[in-house]
Amino acid sequence: MTSLSDEQLVARIRAGDLTGRRELIERWQESVYRIAWRVLGNPNDAEEVRQTVFLRFLERPDSLPDPQRFGGWIRQCTVNAADSLIRSRRVRSASVLPMEVAGSGSDPEREAGAAEEANRLRTALETLLPEERALLSLKFDEGLSFSEIGETLDRPASTVKSHYARLISRLKTLLTESTKELDRHV
């Protein structure tokens, strides 16, 4: 791999030098997969989206944006491809967290509590729309700022920020209700 930036590689590809395609794909493949997986909740569907995004990239290098917009562009392509897959399959709910909870195996009670907490979060996240899960994935998994998310989703940063705040509030409410329900059964 070279030490060229994404912007430099995109500029070269747009100028007709296609040698940077492989490097860009290698750099972005995990991020594209992670976003798709969080939106779709299924590793096979996430892989299908990753292949779709990169196939389009390879087939139409002329569709690449200005070099400095490549990161936002590929994330937006991923969200759009995941949304298209959902619409085509009419998927309504998906698991959005790994099924296993990592642990050392030394404290079964603690691991059981972590597994229960992960399950409650998974259940709460399943109530969100795919585009809402995409926003959370871009914020938490990709570490993007609100302005970067806004660029990716083609929305003003202020809209993204307020939507994010409402999502977090709704998740807190759902988790609080879930905890109260759990406590009633114990």
Side-chain angles (χ1 to χ4, degrees), residues 6-7 10 13 20-36 39 46 49-58 60 63-83 134 138 142 144 148-149 151-154:
D6 290 350
E7 291 83 9
V10 170
I13 293 168
R21 293 183 305 177
R22 181 178 181 176
E23 187 167 343
L24 273 177
I25 290 170
E26 288 176 4
R27 280 186 193 173
W28 283 93
Q29 68 179 335
E30 290 305 314
S31 181
V32 166
Y33 178 85
R34 187 174 41 249
I35 293 167
V39 172
V49 165
R50 176 168 50 185
Q51 290 176 11
T52 299
V53 168
F54 288 121
L55 184 60
R56 288 179 189 158
F57 168 75
L58 291 172
R60 300 204 42 217
S63 70
L64 291 175
D66 291 331
Q68 53 275 56
R69 292 187 24 92
F70 181 76
W73 175 82
I74 198 158
R75 289 181 187 108
Q76 184 176 31
C77 287
T78 304
V79 170
N80 291 345
D83 191 44
L138 293 170
E142 300 302 308
L144 299 181
E148 291 169 321
I149 295 170
E151 181 181 315
T152 298
L153 300 177
D154 197 27

Side-chain angles (χ1 to χ4, degrees), residues 49-141:
V49 165
R50 176 168 50 185
Q51 290 176 11
T52 299
V53 168
F54 288 121
L55 184 60
R56 288 179 189 158
F57 168 75
L58 291 172
E59 289 177 339
R60 300 204 42 217
D62 57 317
S63 70
L64 291 175
D66 291 331
Q68 53 275 56
R69 292 187 24 92
F70 181 76
W73 175 82
I74 198 158
R75 289 181 187 108
Q76 184 176 31
C77 287
T78 304
V79 170
N80 291 345
D83 191 44
S84 292
L85 184 63
I86 288 169
R87 281 193 313 269
S88 71
R89 293 190 179 170
R90 304 219 186 272
V91 174
R92 283 295 177 223
S93 68
S95 174
V96 292
L97 290 177
M99 295 304 294
E100 68 280 343
V101 175
S104 63
S106 61
D107 188 352
E109 186 174 320
R110 186 175 184 176
E111 286 185 24
E116 179 58 37
E117 187 175 318
N119 188 48
R120 287 186 299 114
L121 180 58
R122 180 182 306 109
T123 301
L125 289 170
E126 286 176 348
T127 67
L128 301 179
L129 297 172
E131 54 269 14
E132 293 171 327
R133 291 193 300 262
L135 188 155
L136 293 176
S137 177
L138 293 170
K139 182 66 177 164
F140 291 108
D141 295 333

